[in-house]
Amino acid sequence: MRNYRITLFLMLATTLGVNAQETIVNGSFTIRDFFEEQDSIFYIEKRDVKYFNKNEQDLAFEEYFIGGYGLKIFNNYNEIVSISNEFEQNVSSVRFFNKKEKEVKEVFYYKQGKSIDALLIPEKKYVLISTNDKKITVIDFGDKPAFKIVQEISLNSLARSIYYHNKNLYYATDLGEIYQFNFRTQKSELIHSCKEKITNLNFYNDGLIFTTIQGKIVFLGLDFKASTIVKIKNNFILNTTIDKDNLVCGTFKGEILVVSLKNREITNQLNYHNRSVLSITKGIENYFYSSGIDKTLKKWKLE
C-alpha cells in the first residue's frame, strides 16, 4: 500500500464559460472506470484501485493493488468488483476487493477471451462479461469463493455494449444488431438492426437509445421500430448517462455532448477532455464525473 497526496486544482472551461469544471485526479495512466460512494471516489488505474475523500481540499489518496489490467469496476456493498484483462493472452478476470480488509479476497478467471464490456447485477449476484471470443458469460458469485457459469450466450459478432433493464439483458453487436435476452427462458430475440457498429446502449422512459461508430445517436420507441436520429460529424459516442431530460455523452475525441431528450438535438458541447472519454456518470448534488485516456478524472456541473 502506498499513500500519497495530490493537490486539487481548478481548471475553468474557456470555451463555454458557464460550465466550470475541476480536475480531481491527474494520474499516470488511463482512468477507465470509477464510481462515487458517499464522500469517496473509487477508480481503477491500470493494476490498482485507488480512492479518496472528494470533499478534502488537499486530497489524500489510498492505493491498493488489485491485479490485471483494469477495465471496469462496480460498487457491491462492502466490496469492489473489478473486471480485468490479464497479461496472459486471452485471459480475463473478475476480482472481489474487500473494502474493509483492503485486499482481493476472491478471483474468477475466464480463460477463453479478453473482456470487452461487463456489468454487475447485485440482486442476482451475477457478473456478466462480453469477451472477444464472441460470447457473453453469466457468472454466479453467490457462493464464492465457488463460482458457477450459469449461461454462455454465443454471438455472431463482438458485443461492445451490454445493458440490464427491466430484468432483461440487452446487447449490441458489431453487425449493428440489438438483442434482448430473457433470463427466464434463456433465449435471445433480435429487436433491431441498423447495419452499423454499435458503441453504446441506454434506456429512457419511452424507449431505447443507441449510438454508432458512424456518429449517430438513435432513439427507438418502445416497439423498437420508430426512430429519431441525431448525427454528429467526424466523431462518435463511447458512453452515455441520463440526467432528467438530457442524454449526456462522452465522445471518442474527448468532448462531452448534451442532447435534449425532448427535442432530440444537441444543446451543449463541453471541451473538458483532450482525448477519448471512457466513463461518464451522474453523481450526487447535481455533479457529473468523467474520465478518459487523458489520464484525468473531472468533476463538473451542467448550468
Side-chain angles (χ1 to χ4, degrees), residues 23-64:
T23 302
I24 55 176
V25 177
N26 196 359
S28 302
F29 302 98
T30 295
I31 300 173
R32 294 190 171 273
D33 202 16
F34 61 88
F35 64 81
E36 178 183 27
E37 182 187 45
Q38 296 179 341
D39 293 333
S40 295
I41 296 286
F42 292 80
Y43 66 97
I44 195 162
E45 190 181 52
K46 205 172 182 180
R47 304 180 72 190
D48 300 317
V49 59
K50 302 180 181 182
Y51 67 95
F52 60 92
N53 187 313
K54 60 186 174 65
N55 297 319
E56 296 292 335
Q57 199 67 15
D58 190 19
L59 299 181
F61 286 70
E62 298 286 340
E63 174 183 319
Y64 297 96

Side-chain angles (χ1 to χ4, degrees), residues 39-222:
D39 293 333
S40 295
I41 296 286
F42 292 80
Y43 66 97
I44 195 162
E45 190 181 52
K46 205 172 182 180
R47 304 180 72 190
D48 300 317
V49 59
K50 302 180 181 182
Y51 67 95
F52 60 92
N53 187 313
K54 60 186 174 65
N55 297 319
E56 296 292 335
Q57 199 67 15
D58 190 19
L59 299 181
F61 286 70
E62 298 286 340
E63 174 183 319
Y64 297 96
F65 177 80
I66 200 167
Y69 189 83
L71 177 69
K72 303 273 286 187
I73 58 171
F74 302 97
N75 190 17
N76 188 45
Y77 308 110
N78 64 343
E79 61 189 2
I80 296 170
V81 182
S82 76
I83 313 300
S84 299
N85 286 320
E86 302 299 308
F87 295 113
E88 186 177 350
Q89 186 176 7
N90 287 329
V91 177
S92 53
S93 62
V94 182
R95 297 168 185 262
F96 294 81
F97 178 87
N98 187 288
K99 293 176 185 176
K100 184 177 181 179
E101 299 182 31
K102 299 179 180 179
E103 65 177 345
V104 174
K105 302 298 290 186
E106 299 93 10
V107 183
F108 170 85
Y109 290 101
Y110 182 80
K111 298 182 179 181
Q112 285 77 47
K114 298 284 191 182
S115 293
I116 301 171
D117 196 15
L119 61 83
L120 175 75
I121 308 177
E123 64 270 27
K124 287 181 171 291
K125 297 189 184 300
Y126 284 174
V127 173
L128 283 74
I129 54 174
S130 170
T131 47
N132 64 359
D133 58 345
K134 298 181 183 179
K135 287 183 180 179
I136 297 173
T137 302
V138 183
I139 305 152
D140 187 332
F141 62 86
D143 293 323
K144 61 182 174 60
F147 297 93
K148 180 181 180 182
I149 294 178
V150 295
Q151 186 70 41
E152 282 190 324
I153 306 171
S154 296
L155 315 175
N156 54 12
S157 183
L158 300 181
R160 299 185 188 276
S161 184
I162 58 179
Y163 197 91
Y164 184 65
H165 178 72
N166 279 350
K167 298 184 179 180
N168 291 314
L169 170 69
Y170 294 83
Y171 59 92
T173 75
D174 279 358
L175 295 179
E177 297 172 338
I178 302 174
Y179 291 85
Q180 180 188 72
F181 177 80
N182 186 304
F183 283 98
R184 181 179 57 82
T185 64
Q186 297 189 346
K187 292 183 178 180
S188 292
E189 176 187 0
L190 177 65
I191 60 174
H192 188 79
S193 180
C194 71
K195 309 303 181 184
E196 297 179 9
K197 284 187 178 181
I198 296 173
T199 58
N200 185 255
L201 291 175
N202 210 329
F203 275 81
Y204 63 111
N205 289 338
D206 57 345
L208 181 150
I209 305 169
F210 70 89
T211 61
T212 76
I213 204 168
Q214 281 76 14
K216 293 179 182 178
I217 306 170
V218 184
F219 299 82
L220 299 181
L222 291 176

Side-chain angles (χ1 to χ4, degrees), residues 283-294:
I284 60 177
E285 299 178 350
N286 294 318
Y287 282 103
F288 289 83
Y289 297 88
S290 55
S291 69
I293 292 180
D294 62 2

